[in-house]
């Protein structure tokens, strides 16, 4: 315990970046009264597999030079008037273009709050309108304004743009699992009454996999295998390990990292002793990395980083003492001593933590080992 297994997981997620899926979970998460254990495992597996979809879209992009709404008499009669079409002028560095748009796009323009001088783009296939910002030629219009100014778009007004979207397989499962009900009151009440957590069938996942494989073969999408990190893996039972055996052999499988602090112990739910509480046949599939306890120098270094993050000023001698205490107790206990030590220093009118503050805090509190030793010697406890 306390050798930095979870810290390694966080470091991995930072190193991989936001584009690669990283899905952390704890072994005890699989035990739910609503969903099967295998379903929880498969959901996390699917969260850790990404899909990068590249789509080529035709768009009209530029600065709005004209926005005219043409109206006509209401065909249903009466005194009202209805919008017949919208005249939109767009300008880029290479030229200008005037577009005659459908009345339905007027609603999208109104929702985005588009006015003359804004930089927008319109998707030609869907008619979706996106306001990018205000043209930087209007930057000197006001002295103070909460507006984002963007440069005039380059190239032609009508162009092809490649849109890259990153999704996980679980996102696709959920999107296809939601039933498209009606808009009446009964459909709404039925949707509200349903459980928040519903299982996704294997049939649906197979269908999603088929579509994903077709996209990959066509070159439209690219598979991005991520990392699934399972902490406290000894909490899983034999049923979970059997299911993981099958899942790891699938073509759509992420890199799986397990962490545990157990030695030779019973596999959960059985009387079988196994290393780390994991079946031997499952251990054969792993590359095992051993983590060592921190040295005194490493503890001092980590504590100084933690003190900087928490904005706590600590003397060098006090850091050295914290390192010694950490070697006797644990790194977690050392890090947790920083806040009480700061309060102790502030009560005496100082901002910097000294050795004396650390000693006083160490006398006030007990670490886990000292507490267990005290209870084992005391009468009336741990009976």
């Amino acid at each position: 315990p306390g050798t930095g297994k979870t810290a390694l997981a966080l470091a991995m997620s930072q190193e991989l970046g936001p584009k690669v899926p990283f899905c952390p979970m704890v072994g005890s998460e699989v035990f739910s009264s609503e969903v099967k254990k295998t379903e929880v495992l498969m959901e996390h597996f699917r969260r850790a597999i990404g899909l990068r979809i590249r789509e080529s879209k035709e768009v009209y992009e530029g600065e709005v030079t004209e926005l005219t709404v043409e109206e006509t008499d209401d065909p249903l009669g009466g005194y009202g008037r209805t919008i017949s079409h919208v005249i939109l002028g767009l300008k880029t560095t290479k030229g200008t273009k005037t577009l005659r748009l459908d009345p339905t796009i007027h609603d999208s323009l109104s929702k985005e709050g588009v006015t003359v001088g804004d930089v927008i783009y319109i998707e030609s296939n869907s008619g979706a309108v996106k306001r990018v910002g205000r043209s930087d030629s209007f930057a000197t219009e006001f002295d103070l304004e909460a507006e984002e100014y963007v440069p005039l778009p380059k190239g032609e007004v009508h162009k092809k743009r490649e849109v890259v979207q990153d999704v996980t397989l679980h996102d696709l499962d959920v999107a296809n699992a939601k039933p498209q009900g009606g808009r009446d009151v009964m459909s709404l009440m039925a949707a509200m009454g349903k459980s928040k957590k519903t299982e996704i069938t294997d049939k649906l996942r197979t269908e999603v996999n088929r579509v994903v494989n077709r996209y990959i073969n066509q070159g439209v999408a690219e598979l991005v295998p991520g990392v699934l990190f399972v902490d406290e893996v000894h909490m899983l039972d034999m049923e979970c390990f059997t299911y993981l055996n099958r899942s790891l052999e699938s073509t759509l499988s992420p890199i799986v990292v397990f962490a545990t602090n157990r030695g030779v112990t019973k596999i959960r739910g059985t009387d079988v002793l196994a290393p780390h509480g994991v079946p031997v046949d499952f251990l054969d599939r792993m590359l095992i990395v051993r983590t060592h306890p921190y040295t005194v120098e490493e503890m001092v270094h980590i504590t100084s980083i933690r003190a900087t993050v928490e904005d706590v000023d600590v003397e060098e001698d006090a850091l050295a003492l914290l390192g010694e205490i950490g070697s006797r107790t644990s790194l977690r206990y050392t890090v947790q001593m920083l806040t009480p030590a700061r309060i102790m220093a502030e009560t005496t009118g100082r901002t910097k933590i000294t050795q004396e503050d650390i000693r006083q805090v160490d006398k006030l509190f007990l670490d886990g080992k000292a507490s267990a030793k005290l209870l084992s010697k005391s009468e009336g406890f741990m009976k």
Side-chain angles (χ1 to χ4, degrees), residues 6 51 59 117 199 210 220 253 257 277 283 302 307 322 325 331 367:
T6 311
L51 195 69
V59 297
E199 290 190 21
R210 193 174 62 79
V220 176
S253 174
V257 181
L283 279 172
I302 293 167
L322 282 169
I325 293 170
L331 180 64
D367 64 281

Side-chain angles (χ1 to χ4, degrees), residues 186-203:
M186 290 305 293
S187 298
L188 183 65
M189 293 299 290
M192 287 173 65
K194 281 183 182 176
S195 169
K196 298 289 181 188
K197 190 84 173 171
T198 55
E199 290 190 21
I200 298 163
T201 60
D202 283 337
K203 186 179 178 182

Side-chain angles (χ1 to χ4, degrees), residues 310 312 322 332-348 350 353-354 356-365:
E310 293 190 7
V312 178
L322 282 169
R332 290 192 181 99
Y333 177 69
T334 305
V335 169
Q336 287 164 357
M337 287 176 72
L338 287 173
T339 303
R342 184 186 63 187
I343 295 167
M344 197 70 82
E346 286 174 354
T347 53
T348 56
R350 287 180 286 104
I353 295 172
T354 61
E356 188 56 37
D357 299 323
I358 302 296
R359 288 196 182 94
Q360 283 187 343
V361 170
D362 195 27
K363 286 177 185 175
L364 284 172
F365 301 102

Side-chain angles (χ1 to χ4, degrees), residues 10-225:
L10 293 172
M12 285 170 64
S13 67
Q14 293 292 323
E15 190 67 28
L16 290 169
K19 298 291 184 184
V20 179
F22 182 85
C23 182
M25 69 169 287
V26 183
S28 55
E29 284 183 36
V30 300
F31 301 102
S32 166
S33 58
E34 296 177 359
V35 186
K36 290 185 293 187
K37 292 176 279 191
T38 54
E39 173 65 22
V40 175
L41 283 171
M42 181 50 75
E43 181 185 313
H44 282 84
F45 255 76
R46 308 278 285 186
R47 283 181 194 272
I49 303 169
L51 195 69
R52 189 165 292 148
I53 304 168
R54 287 185 173 85
E55 190 179 358
S56 185
K57 292 184 179 180
E58 290 189 12
V59 297
Y60 292 91
E61 186 178 28
E63 178 191 328
V64 179
T65 55
E66 181 188 357
L67 184 59
T68 310
V69 179
E70 297 289 339
E71 294 183 338
T72 184
D73 292 331
D74 194 340
L76 300 175
Y79 298 102
R81 293 175 70 82
T82 184
I83 297 169
S84 62
H85 59 273
V86 178
I87 303 294
L88 183 72
L90 293 176
K91 179 178 76 173
T92 62
T93 54
K94 277 198 173 180
T96 59
K97 197 177 186 75
T98 303
L99 306 173
R100 184 186 170 97
L101 304 176
D102 189 78
T104 53
I105 298 181
H106 180 256
D107 295 335
S108 302
L109 290 167
S110 301
K111 282 179 184 176
E112 289 286 324
V114 175
T115 57
V116 174
D118 290 347
V119 175
I120 66 167
Y121 75 85
I122 305 172
E123 293 178 11
S124 58
N125 58 344
S126 64
V129 178
K130 175 69 178 174
R131 182 179 181 273
V132 182
R134 190 85 173 149
S135 175
D136 56 6
S137 58
F138 293 86
T140 57
E141 193 176 9
F142 299 102
D143 293 328
L144 188 64
E145 187 181 9
E147 187 63 83
E148 185 181 352
Y149 291 98
V150 293
L152 190 68
K154 297 176 182 177
E156 300 290 341
V157 173
H158 182 232
K159 63 187 78 171
K160 283 190 176 181
R161 171 184 283 188
E162 190 181 62
V163 180
V164 180
Q165 190 177 6
D166 289 298
V167 295
T168 64
L169 293 187
H170 178 68
D171 295 335
L172 298 176
D173 294 341
V174 171
N176 288 285
K178 287 180 181 175
Q180 304 297 321
R183 295 189 178 182
D184 57 339
V185 177
M186 290 305 293
S187 298
L188 183 65
M189 293 299 290
M192 287 173 65
K194 281 183 182 176
S195 169
K196 298 289 181 188
K197 190 84 173 171
T198 55
E199 290 190 21
I200 298 163
T201 60
D202 283 337
K203 186 179 178 182
L204 174 68
R205 287 201 173 104
T206 307
E207 188 65 27
V208 169
N209 288 351
R210 193 174 62 79
V211 174
V212 165
N213 286 326
R214 190 172 77 238
Y215 282 164
I216 292 167
N217 293 334
Q218 291 172 355
V220 176
E222 174 193 352
L223 201 67
V224 184

